């Protein structure tokens, strides 16, 4: 371990940034306990916030050797919260928390050591963004390298998982491995033992974190943000699916096959193999147009885009789909793993449900659903049920059976009002693409990509659908312009960047003025 020299008479100042459930308080308490047993004065405070996910908190520790306190002849006055530019060690339990520390000025190149786990826990804003809202991890790594005196960035969550422990233990090990605190490895390990909870697993995670920090490169490695493309499997358990995969391998361009595999999986999971076959038929029709109008020279751009967004359009999010996902065994296992529940512990998951009248009508047979929507009396009566959200425990028998029954309505989905609405929108979109390819190939590709805006359900779906309809109307008006594809791309990027659609409306208004 390396060592760091601190100014005599000045306390060591440590800021810990963690989200709810990541053990930031445990880490702060461990540091204070270790300092006090080594005859140091130490103090910890916390400043809670709701900046990310379940709430991010800054834990702040200041500590001073007791010998210096005795020499001063009076107790020290330790600060309650960190001051920008005046922090020796910053510990972040997740990469974007490290970025937030940099943004707040807690990390400085003349003083601060920054320790951050390189893993990501996506914020609500990233998950709910219209397009790909995931922040660039490598920009945070670059900023950390520039802003800190020393930057240690490794996947401490993975090390904790490997040891069967929690990230606070591997973070504690990384602090020890960094050499930024004047304590021995034995001091750190004895602190964990005094805690008395999950000691052996915590010590394993501590050792892994210590080794990783001690051997961390001077320049942290960049994060690979590219997802590996799914391979076309050689076998499948269902004969119909095997036949579809053979069709995919033999009759579609190789460059689009990985996306077609993903799309086929999604549509079959959404409905059944027959629905997956319909997906391939729709993409096949566009692939033939792609070949006819020179798509091979353009890397089969139309087919590749269609492979993705036809699947998105066909496998839309409805109430049946949401209920299906919430009752899957894999989801219950994932939640148990996230909260660290033991095999003999009961776990109850509370779901927040707030369906609108439109969602309920969408699950009805098309004629009935349309009648309820158009009937002021019937929709008003149903609306009383939808006035406020309801909490439902999917881990109880009654709650699970309610969701399981709703998920079982998948067999009737093709006859529901929502499916008829989505099918009508899908067919209109495909017709527009087919009409556009012969006159403007690039514009047709951009029209395919416009489907990126439609996602989610309820209000989220409605906002995205509204922008999508405006873009499709604009695409029709743009046909014949030499810059049509570029302009539609600009409009789509504006729609993705602005949740309210203000920027999109402004740009559409500008186009109307030019047309006039």
């Amino acid at each position: 371990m390396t060592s760091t020299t601190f100014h005599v008479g000045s306390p060591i100042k440590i800021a810990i940034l963690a989200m709810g459930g990541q053990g930031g308080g445990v880490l702060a308490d461990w540091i204070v306990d270790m300092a006090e047993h080594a005859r140091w004065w130490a103090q910890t405070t916390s400043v809670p916030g709701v900046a990310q996910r379940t709430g991010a908190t800054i834990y702040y520790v200041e500590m001073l050797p007791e010998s210096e306190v005795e020499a001063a002849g009076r107790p020290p006055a330790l600060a309650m919260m960190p001051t920008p530019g005046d922090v020796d060690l910053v510990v972040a339990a997740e990469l974007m928390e490290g970025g937030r520390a940099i943004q707040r000025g807690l990390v400085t190149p003349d003083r601060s050591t920054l320790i951050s786990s390189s893993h990501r826990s996506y914020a609500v804003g990233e998950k709910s963004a219209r397009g790909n809202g995931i922040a660039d991890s490598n920009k945070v790594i670059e900023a950390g390298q520039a802003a800190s005196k020393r930057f240690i960035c490794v996947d401490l969550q993975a090390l904790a998982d490997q040891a069967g422990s929690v990230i606070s233990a591997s973070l504690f090990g990384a602090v020890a491995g960094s050499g930024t605190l004047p304590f021995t490895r034995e001091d750190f390990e004895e602190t964990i033992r005094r805690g008395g909870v999950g000691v052996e697993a915590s010590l394993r995670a501590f050792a892994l974190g210590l080794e990783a920090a001690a051997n961390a490169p001077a320049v942290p490695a960049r994060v690979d943000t590219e997802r590996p493309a799914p391979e076309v499997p050689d076998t499948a358990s269902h004969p119909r699916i095997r036949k579809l995969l053979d069709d995919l391998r033999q009759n579609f361009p190789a460059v689009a096959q990985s996306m077609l595999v993903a799309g086929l999986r999604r549509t079959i999971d959404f409905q059944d193999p027959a629905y997956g076959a319909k997906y391939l038929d729709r993409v096949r029709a566009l692939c033939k147009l792609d070949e006819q109008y020179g798509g091979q020279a353009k890397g089969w751009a139309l087919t590749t885009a269609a492979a993705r967004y036809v699947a998105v359009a066909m496998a839309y999010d409805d109430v049946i789909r949401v209920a299906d996902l919430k009752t899957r065994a894999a989801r219950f296992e994932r939640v148990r793993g996230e909260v660290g529940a033991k095999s003999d512990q009961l776990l109850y998951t509370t779901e927040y449900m707030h369906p609108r009248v439109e969602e309920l009508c969408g699950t009805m047979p098309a004629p009935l659903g349309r009648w309820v929507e158009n009937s002021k009396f019937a929709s008003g009566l149903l609306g009383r049920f939808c006035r406020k959200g309801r909490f439902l425990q999917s881990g109880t028998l009654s709650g699970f059976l309610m969701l399981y029954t709703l998920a079982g309505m998948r067999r009737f989905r093709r006859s529901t009002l929502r499916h008829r609405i989505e099918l009508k929108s899908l067919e209109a979109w495909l017709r527009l693409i087919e009409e556009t390819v012969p006159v403007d190939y690039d514009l047709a590709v951009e029209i395919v990509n416009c489907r990126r805006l439609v996602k989610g359900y309820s209000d989220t779906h409605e906002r995205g659908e509204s922008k999508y309809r405006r873009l499709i109307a604009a695409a029709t008006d743009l046909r014949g312009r030499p810059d049509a594809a570029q302009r539609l791309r600009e409009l789509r990027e504006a729609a993705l960047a602005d949740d309210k659609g203000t920027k999109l409306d402004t740009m559409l208004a500008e186009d109307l003025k030019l047309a006039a």
Side-chain angles (χ1 to χ4, degrees):
M1 294 188 296
T2 60
S3 61
T4 300
T5 302
F6 298 98
H7 297 293
V8 176
S10 175
I12 298 175
K13 302 175 181 181
I14 307 167
I16 302 167
L17 291 87
M19 298 174 293
Q22 287 189 318
V26 173
L27 178 58
D29 289 343
W30 274 345
I31 293 174
V32 170
D33 179 74
M34 178 174 61
E36 289 178 342
H37 276 80
R39 296 182 56 81
W40 283 57
W41 280 66
Q43 171 185 282
T44 179
T45 59
S46 63
V47 181
V50 289
Q52 291 184 335
R53 292 136 309 229
T54 56
T57 301
I58 298 178
Y59 301 88
Y60 184 58
V61 178
E62 284 198 1
M63 53 190 189
L64 195 67
E66 191 170 315
S67 58
E68 294 188 13
V69 176
E70 293 173 351
R74 57 183 177 81
L78 301 178
M80 301 290 287
M81 60 186 300
T83 302
D86 191 30
V87 181
D88 300 297
L89 173 62
V90 178
V91 183
E94 190 261 2
L95 187 58
M96 288 302 156
E97 289 300 321
R100 198 162 65 92
I102 297 169
Q103 192 175 43
R104 293 172 69 98
L106 301 180
V107 183
T108 50
D110 63 326
R111 178 169 184 172
S112 306
T113 294
L114 173 61
I115 300 173
S116 176
S117 179
S118 62
H119 82 283
R120 289 297 328 281
S121 295
Y122 298 126
V124 172
E126 292 177 288
K127 294 178 181 178
S128 61
R130 296 281 161 238
N132 181 9
I134 298 174
D136 188 349
S137 297
N138 290 313
K139 288 185 178 179
V140 179
I141 292 175
E142 292 169 5
Q145 185 68 20
S148 63
K149 184 177 182 180
R150 183 184 177 202
F151 185 25
I152 298 172
C153 184
V154 292
D155 192 343
L156 295 166
Q157 180 63 64
L159 296 179
D161 293 341
Q162 179 182 335
S165 184
V166 291
I167 194 171
S168 53
S170 54
L171 285 169
F172 198 46
V175 171
S178 69
T180 53
L181 298 184
F183 305 107
T184 66
R185 175 170 182 165
E186 289 71 25
D187 292 330
F188 282 88
E189 291 178 335
E190 283 302 315
T191 301
I192 294 175
R193 292 190 180 95
R194 281 193 297 271
V197 179
V199 172
E200 293 306 316
S202 294
L203 287 173
R204 289 195 299 271
F206 169 84
L208 291 173
L210 186 150
E211 183 180 357
N215 298 315
V219 179
R222 292 177 61 84
V223 176
D224 184 5
T225 57
E226 293 294 327
R227 294 183 180 181
E231 297 180 356
V232 182
D234 293 328
T235 60
S237 57
H238 196 291
R240 184 73 182 273
I241 297 176
R242 284 202 300 269
K243 185 177 178 180
L244 292 174
L245 289 171
D246 289 340
D247 178 14
L248 190 156
R249 262 191 302 269
Q250 296 167 13
N251 299 312
F252 290 90
V255 69
Q257 287 185 9
S258 61
M259 190 59 71
L260 283 163
V261 171
L264 184 61
R265 286 175 177 168
R266 178 165 177 164
T267 49
I268 291 174
D269 182 66
F270 179 79
Q271 193 63 36
D272 51 37
Y275 202 64
K278 188 65 177 176
Y279 158 73
L280 288 184
D281 289 342
R282 284 179 169 133
V283 179
R284 191 192 323 275
L286 295 178
C287 184
K288 289 179 180 178
L289 287 172
D290 202 356
E291 183 177 17
Q292 183 179 352
Y293 292 99
Q296 187 171 2
K298 296 192 176 185
W300 300 100
L302 181 68
T303 302
T304 304
R308 178 178 184 179
Y309 290 112
V310 171
V312 170
M314 291 180 66
Y316 51 86
D317 290 318
D318 61 357
V319 174
I320 299 171
R321 175 69 169 172
V322 172
D324 178 27
L325 294 174
K326 287 183 180 293
T327 52
R328 293 189 178 186
R331 183 193 183 236
F332 287 106
E333 289 302 316
R334 177 177 58 81
V335 173
R336 292 186 68 87
E338 288 178 352
V339 301
K342 298 179 180 178
S343 58
D344 59 346
Q345 288 181 309
L346 294 176
L347 174 67
Y348 291 99
T349 304
T350 302
E351 318 286 353
Y352 178 71
M353 314 290 288
H354 194 180
R356 301 182 306 161
V357 172
E358 291 83 355
E359 272 77 59
L360 296 181
C361 291
T363 63
M364 299 176 186
L368 177 60
R370 187 69 70 188
W371 177 81
V372 172
E373 276 194 339
N374 294 332
S375 170
K376 188 174 182 180
F377 171 77
S379 61
L381 189 65
L382 192 60
R384 294 180 182 179
F385 177 78
C386 305
R387 284 179 181 172
K388 61 180 181 179
R390 301 174 186 276
F391 295 95
L392 184 147
Q393 285 194 341
S394 56
T396 63
L397 181 61
S398 60
F400 179 83
L401 286 177
M402 182 182 296
L403 290 174
Y404 189 76
T405 302
L406 187 57
M409 291 178 62
R410 178 167 69 172
R411 70 192 70 178
F412 308 114
R413 179 184 270 135
R414 291 181 178 90
S415 65
T416 63
L417 175 61
R418 174 67 187 277
H419 188 75
R420 299 288 175 85
I421 293 172
E422 293 294 336
L423 183 60
K424 183 179 179 180
S425 173
L426 170 64
E427 290 176 344
W429 175 57
L430 292 174
R431 280 197 303 273
L432 179 60
I433 296 167
E434 292 168 357
E435 293 168 359
T436 306
V437 174
V439 295
D440 193 333
Y441 179 95
D442 293 335
L443 178 60
V445 174
E446 294 304 324
I447 291 173
V448 174
N449 289 329
C450 283
R451 199 76 198 190
R452 183 179 182 182
L453 281 111
V454 185
K455 63 186 294 187
Y457 66 103
S458 192
D459 293 336
T460 301
H461 179 271
E462 182 60 33
R463 288 193 297 269
E465 179 76 19
S466 174
K467 293 180 184 178
Y468 163 76
R469 288 195 295 265
R470 281 179 278 173
L471 286 179
I472 292 301
T476 304
D477 295 335
L478 287 169
R479 279 197 297 188
R481 282 178 46 172
D483 65 338
Q486 178 183 345
R487 184 57 177 173
L488 185 59
R489 188 184 308 115
E490 292 171 352
L491 291 171
R492 187 181 71 252
E493 290 173 353
L496 289 167
D498 180 11
D499 189 58
K500 294 182 179 179
T502 305
K503 186 176 180 181
L504 174 62
D505 290 337
T506 301
M507 294 176 69
L508 290 173
E510 291 173 357
D511 285 354
L512 284 175
K513 289 180 181 179
L514 290 173

